[in-house]
Amino acid sequence: MTQTATIFYLKIQQVEKLCLFELAWGIGQQLTVSLPYPESLTISYQDWQQNYLNFYHKALRGRVVNTGKLTRQVDWHQKLVQAEAKLVFEFHRWLRHEQLYEIRAIVAQAAKQKTESLLSQQNTDVPTVDVFITCNCQDLSRLPWEAWEITEFAASSKIRIARQPINIRNTTATLNYSSKRGRSKARILAILGDDTGLNFQADKEAVKFLSPIAEVEFVGWQPQESQAELKEKIVKAITDQRGWDILFFAGHSNETLNTGGEIAIAPSTTLCITEISQPLSMAKQRGLQFAIFNSCSGLSIANALIDLGLSQVAVMREPIHNQVAQEFLVRFLQSLGEYKDVHESLLSACQFLKLEKNLTYPSTYLIPSLFRHPGAPLFRLKRSSLRQELIRWLPTRREAMAISALILCSLQLSNQRFLIEKRVLVQAMYRQYTNQVERQNSPPVLLVEIDEDSITKAKISNPWPMDRSYLAKIIDQLTTINAKIIGIDYLLDRHQKEENDIKLAQTLRSSIEKQNTWFVFATSRNPAGGWLEALPELASPKWRLQGNVSLVGYNRYVTHVTLLPSQNSTKTPLPFGYLLAVAHLLNFEKSENLLLPQINSSVDWLLQVKNHIAQTTDKNFFDLFSSLSRLQPLTKFSYRLGQMWLHPIIDFSIPPEAIFVRLPAWQLLESDESQLLPKTTLEKRPSIVIIAAGYKDAGLTPGEDNFPLPAAVSYWRSQKEPPNPSRAFTGGEVHTYMVHHFLKQRLVIPIPNLWLIGIAALLGKGVVLMLENNSNSKTQQKEIILSSLFLLTLIYALASLQIYISAAILLPWLLPSLTFWIYIFLYSIDPKSTFDN
């Protein structure tokens, strides 16, 4: 439970030789007393100040009036300790005056009551009383009011003394700017001023200590920089649209009468607070709450900044030695980094100087003061919340517009088809240039293509539908050359001339009787929702298989593999190419119980095949029936969204020569076995034959079985000697690729562009936030970072090309890379827009 401190306001005014003490608290409660101001206190202060300056006469962070020549024999350390003791004694004796008893008693009683209340709640860490002291003159302000022991009881440790100016004309900023801007980290602007005779390295390291929980940016003078340029740079940094939470200054500073103090920003160059009052006001409106001036004589500066409306300002009232300033800063920022408020942090740093460094640096614990705006809560660094962190990662308006456009682009199937086609083309080139082309002396498939020349030579007037007696001749010839697996990419669902049907039926049976040939016939879905199957009179289900020849793509472009159904179902036929691959494995299975088709079989042939596979332990079958070959639930779900997530694509980056051997039907029929397949290559013959159309009228409707030529296939044709200029690309060629893919388990999984765009957006935003966190880096360093990112993008491109070949995974490159670099580009043209959510 968070506790609030009880607040007292004590105004001390000196009028001639009297001091008026006015205490205000609660709801309109106040008490006024007066007592003489002792001249001895002024003498003690002046004596202490003189000894203080004599002891710390070097490396002070401010200009000090020459105190005369120092005598080396004088023990200034001892004299300073004595002067400090006398000053504190005189100060406390004055404040213990009986006329101040009631004021002390009221504050002490409040502290005691609050302490007892907190102890009953087992909460002893929260301060109980804050006393705001206001002095009407510089002589009173210079006194060490923070050392006032208001009460001798233990409750005095729960009393904190802060200062406030006598004039405060501006309210503190009420806008929670950091939350509005989505910042999970506080932002610190560190101004490093004139370092003549000083060393700011420890200051820089101390501020950088907060880097894990705060964004730190340094600004300071550079050699050869003009005064005007430096002042403009500092003003520009202060008014950064992203805002600041903390303003830090290290260097020389001094009090002034009418300009709010001055800071030395470069040798022989000072900047008055009044000169930057407007920029500071803007910074306040953009979130600036706390300022710390680790420099000398900061009373004027603190008064001016609180008057402008800053919440708290920490300053040194007297000149401060460089090493003391660094010791103080380190301890102060350590406490701040532990999420203590600025008042706790200042008290902790002063306590450190008093208890641990007093022998080395006497009296320094009396120097720091915290000025507070009475209407502002104490500033502390906040722990990052998950919500703040998420807000930080949200895209800006321009980022969201750009990424939305890329996402919409990636969701269009036509764009997906185009990107896949071009990517596979690049893969083909990469294969060739890296010598990773699949080389086979004997491709697995012989494509017997009934082309235009075959139709002409056979004197077929109308190839739609194809003359079945011509198909019978082809099968007879294939039987002659001992073809064991034949796939017929023609639908045989309707009757033709009776003699042609009889001829084909006899040829099919004869081939099975002679050599137990495996036949796979084409089937396709009809408009009524059923399947167009081969007539039983032509091919009996007892010895033939039927494969789905439907192809997957968009707008006539074939791009994806036809997959097995997601579940074992008799309603959906298995893919044509898949059944040919199964036939190949079973036909060449090394087993005594070789499964072969029989004309007189009484059991459905597909059922026999499935039962046989279920009993086999051959690893090849397990590979063939792997989940990659089946339609996965995620892919099926994506269909409802109009997408094809993780649906394997056809890898046209493999050259056709590695997939199939093309043989025109007329050449098959006009040549004998020795001419087609010499005896010396019997062991290298293609094991699978596909009879397919290669003429312009092929398909259920004329021309339906001809498709646009894939770019990769066109590339391979252009690489032949001489180049093949043909633009024809048939369904039969597609099936040869799918047979190859099923046999080799070469199913390339395309990772959706949408997914990679999301990952690239996160990476891009992460890099932008990293650049933002290091916005003070030099331009050369940023150029190195950007060059490295460009190199990594190229490495990713090359890696994605190799992963495609080695792991059969297509990682998109273009759209994700565009996404990533859009973030970088938008940041580079306007870094301030990074948080304009």
Side-chain angles (χ1 to χ4, degrees), residues 297-341:
S297 306
L299 284 175
S300 298
I301 295 172
N303 287 325
L305 295 183
I306 297 296
D307 186 27
L308 284 173
L310 263 66
S311 299
Q312 289 94 40
V313 180
V315 296
M316 306 295 175
R317 300 189 317 279
E318 303 285 347
I320 190 76
H321 190 274
N322 185 61
Q323 292 181 357
V324 177
Q326 293 172 349
E327 294 274 7
F328 168 83
L329 183 66
V330 168
R331 184 51 61 105
F332 176 85
L333 294 182
Q334 283 179 353
S335 297
L336 203 63
E338 294 169 359
Y339 302 103
K340 295 179 181 179
D341 64 47

Side-chain angles (χ1 to χ4, degrees), residues 389-405:
E389 196 64 33
L390 290 176
I391 290 175
R392 253 184 114 223
W393 284 80
L394 290 177
T396 65
R397 183 167 55 254
R398 289 195 295 180
E399 289 170 348
M401 291 174 62
I403 303 309
S404 297

Side-chain angles (χ1 to χ4, degrees), residues 406-424:
L406 287 175
I407 289 175
L408 289 175
C409 177
S410 73
L411 293 177
Q412 299 296 318
L413 287 180
S414 57
N415 293 334
Q416 292 179 22
R417 192 277 308 165
F418 176 82
L419 291 172
I420 288 175
E421 183 183 32
K422 299 307 179 186
R423 172 57 183 277
V424 175

Side-chain angles (χ1 to χ4, degrees), residues 811-822:
L811 293 173
W813 178 82
L814 180 61
L815 294 186
S817 297
L818 281 176
T819 301
F820 178 82
W821 282 101
I822 279 174

Side-chain angles (χ1 to χ4, degrees), residues 585-787:
L585 291 177
L586 289 176
N587 195 57
F588 292 92
E589 184 182 17
K590 296 180 181 179
S591 171
E592 295 180 358
N593 300 319
L594 194 64
L595 184 65
L596 296 172
Q598 303 290 334
I599 287 294
N600 299 322
S601 175
S602 60
V603 181
D604 184 89
W605 181 231
L606 180 60
L607 182 60
Q608 293 184 58
V609 171
K610 290 182 177 179
N611 290 337
H612 183 83
I613 292 173
Q615 296 172 6
T616 187
T617 58
D618 190 342
K619 180 181 180 298
N620 289 324
F621 285 112
F622 292 109
D623 290 340
L624 198 60
F625 279 84
S626 70
S627 59
L628 291 178
S629 304
R630 292 195 175 276
L631 179 62
Q632 296 301 300
L634 179 59
T635 304
K636 187 175 182 180
F637 169 76
S638 72
Y639 292 165
R640 300 178 184 179
L641 305 177
Q643 300 301 304
M644 301 183 71
W645 292 347
L646 306 183
H647 191 130
I649 63 168
I650 302 174
D651 188 5
F652 292 122
S653 73
I654 302 173
E657 292 75 17
I659 302 292
F660 65 92
V661 175
R662 189 193 307 271
L663 181 65
W666 67 266
Q667 190 175 344
L668 172 71
L669 296 174
E670 293 182 4
S671 304
D672 58 27
E673 180 183 0
S674 62
Q675 292 174 317
L676 289 172
L677 301 168
K679 294 294 183 180
T680 55
T681 61
L682 280 175
E683 70 282 359
K684 298 181 180 179
R685 292 179 181 181
S687 59
I688 300 169
V689 179
I690 295 179
I691 303 173
Y695 46 90
K696 62 180 180 180
D697 296 328
L700 280 176
T701 58
E704 185 183 17
D705 202 40
N706 288 287
F707 303 94
L709 182 65
V713 176
S714 176
Y715 171 77
W716 288 122
R717 290 181 180 180
S718 69
Q719 299 301 301
K720 295 184 68 175
E721 291 294 339
N724 181 358
S726 173
R727 303 298 299 173
F729 188 68
T730 66
E733 292 179 83
V734 178
H735 290 303
T736 63
Y737 271 91
M738 284 198 278
V739 170
H740 170 274
H741 294 349
F742 283 122
L743 278 177
K744 303 292 185 180
Q745 278 297 287
R746 176 69 188 175
L747 297 178
V748 179
I749 306 299
I751 304 302
N753 268 288
L754 177 64
W755 299 6
L756 268 294
I757 285 174
I759 293 174
L762 289 175
L763 291 175
K765 191 68 175 183
V767 170
V768 165
L769 294 177
M770 179 194 71
L771 291 172
E772 177 61 28
N773 292 343
N774 296 277
S775 56
N776 58 317
S777 300
K778 296 180 180 179
T779 303
Q780 186 178 6
Q781 292 176 324
K782 290 185 177 180
E783 289 177 353
I784 294 174
I785 292 174
L786 292 177
S787 299

